[in-house]
Amino acid sequence: MTGNGQIPFLDLITPHLELEEELVWVFRGILETAGFAGGPFVEGFEREFAEFCGTQYCVGVASGTDALRFALIAAGVNAGDTVITVPNTFIATAEAISQAGARPDFVEVDDRTYNMDARRLQEYLEMRCVRDFRTGKLLNAKTRSPISAIVPVHLYGQPAEMDLIGELAERYKLVVIEDACQAHGAEYFSNKENRWRRVGSIAHAAAFSFYPGKNLGACGEAGAVTTNDAALATKVRMLRDHGQAKKYCHEIEGYNGRLDAIQAGILQTKLKFLPDWNRQRRENAHRYNELFGAQDDLITAPYEPSRAKAVYHLYVIRVRYRDQLQRHLAQAGIATQVHYPMPLHLQRPYASLGYKEGDFPVTERIAAEILSLPMYPHLEAGQQKRIAHTIFELLSTKASIAGSQISQPYPSVGIARS
Ligand SMILES: *Cc1c(COP(=O)(O)O)cnc(C)c1O
């Protein structure tokens, strides 16, 4: 694969072929017992994934979006509330907030980690909110909608700044739900507790997606909520299954959002390999970092704070001439993607929030400069060298042209240096 062959963005074939025998065994077991819904695979996976995250409870659901929605509802988010997240995320984060009946609102991200900027969150809570004198609730000053929760996203597999976000949440009595859909196994050093913690165990509850391309992926759709709150776990269990606590006894109106038993069995099998796969992803990220280190005037590699152990769901660089570089790589048979090209505050479904271009300058600049390179456990060193070489090829030509044409300086929007 390393010669002049194509380098895919993602390799979902190799790991499944390697595990074919075990995965077929799961499927056969379920066929023989017709245990399609619930049962030992679902319970087994829930137990093992809770243990993996370091939480007491895990509730399997049908997708990451359901996990976020159910966690928000179970945590007490009401219709008409406002829930704060970031504009630089996959739309599912905001969709789940709307599906819980709330209104998503955004705060800016950090220029180096691309995750929620806790100082901007503080600014939002202090400057754009007021206290309701009668209820004591924090309201958005403009919309008068109560702020009830914060959803930080561990984007690209990098933990968000949870200590600072947690402190603010405590001060303002807000719930924090982690969007851990890209960060299975990532770790964060909590200064408050003086120990490393797995994402999924840091806030009130967390949502995971097991969409096939995630670090832990099903062979179809799946998700989970993790938490240490027994009542929240019970509520999510009801929400995923039509609101029933007992069969045909409905406490509330719920949803059809159960975890499929076949997917649970597949996830249970694959979970054993997740620590190894994450280690390989980290090694691949370090190899990329070394390759790009000598060219840090042209390429900004991902920034990993000393308090974070990222799991590199995506390896995202920042460059000028991003679109041209993406075309150049495609011509060389190297597949790349952009996560995400249009920030949520500029997407049509959120037009009613009234944001315009320029409102989140860091997010907007990131969106114009980021490029996700091939990243998966089975990526080979030779492939990474070829990718780096192909990137240098274009960027060094660009840099020397720009350097020789003094009348045509660099575009005014610069890349923030770390
Ligand atoms: C994948 C993803 C989701 C949604 O997960 P689904 O399983 O596709 O519903 C939510 N948030 C983020 C950040 C994601 O990457």
Side-chain angles (χ1 to χ4, degrees), residues 129-370:
C129 298
V130 291
R131 281 254 177 239
D132 184 315
F133 287 117
R134 275 163 305 156
T135 61
K137 276 187 178 174
L138 192 70
L139 306 179
N140 180 299
K142 224 198 261 169
T143 61
R144 311 299 292 182
S145 151
I147 314 289
S148 57
I150 307 166
V151 182
V153 181
H154 305 307
L155 198 69
Y156 309 148
Q158 162 108 275
E161 196 44 277
M162 296 305 289
D163 270 353
L164 296 173
I165 293 168
E167 273 171 36
L168 288 166
E170 221 168 283
R171 191 180 314 162
Y172 289 95
K173 299 198 167 39
L174 306 174
V175 163
V176 180
I177 307 291
E178 302 169 62
D179 183 338
C181 288
Q182 300 191 358
H184 321 66
E187 291 179 59
Y188 173 78
F189 189 83
S190 165
N191 282 333
K192 206 171 125 200
E193 299 186 25
N194 198 32
R195 66 180 174 110
W196 286 94
R197 303 189 66 165
R198 281 254 163 95
V199 310
S201 71
I202 305 171
H204 194 170
F208 287 90
S209 164
F210 307 116
Y211 185 73
K214 306 288 164 111
N215 287 32
L216 178 62
C219 298
E221 304 280 348
V225 174
T226 54
T227 185
N228 286 317
D229 178 338
L232 188 143
T234 303
K235 186 95 187 268
V236 172
R237 247 177 232 120
M238 284 201 292
L239 285 165
R240 74 174 170 182
D241 195 20
H242 303 290
Q244 51 191 359
K246 285 188 309 218
K247 203 167 170 71
Y248 303 131
C249 178
H250 306 272
E251 295 279 326
I252 49 172
E253 257 190 340
Y255 300 86
N256 175 354
R258 294 175 297 265
L259 172 60
D260 182 285
I262 293 172
Q263 300 308 335
I266 285 168
L267 288 168
Q268 201 178 0
T269 302
K270 290 179 72 180
L271 179 59
K272 295 199 287 284
F273 299 88
L274 181 61
D276 270 342
W277 288 335
N278 279 343
R279 183 181 45 75
Q280 286 171 293
R281 282 177 187 270
R282 284 180 62 77
E283 283 168 11
N284 293 345
H286 291 149
R287 193 174 297 120
Y288 268 137
N289 290 346
E290 273 166 22
L291 287 165
F292 297 141
Q295 300 285 340
D296 63 357
D297 52 332
L298 300 175
I299 298 160
T300 304
Y303 169 70
E304 192 179 309
S306 56
R307 298 178 58 183
K309 283 188 195 136
V311 290
Y312 295 95
H313 171 59
L314 297 168
Y315 185 89
V316 178
I317 58 167
R318 252 172 108 174
V319 288
R320 280 173 207 170
Y321 317 107
R322 191 267 315 277
D323 294 343
Q324 240 174 307
L325 177 61
Q326 187 170 33
R327 282 195 294 275
H328 179 73
L329 286 164
Q331 275 161 13
I334 298 164
T336 60
Q337 292 185 20
V338 176
H339 300 89
Y340 296 87
M342 198 200 285
L344 293 186
H345 68 285
L346 301 176
Q347 298 268 6
R348 190 169 294 156
Y350 304 107
S352 66
L353 298 182
Y355 290 114
K356 55 183 188 318
E357 227 176 293
D359 284 341
F360 295 96
V362 177
T363 295
E364 289 167 30
R365 200 167 64 216
I366 289 168
E369 297 178 346
I370 46 175

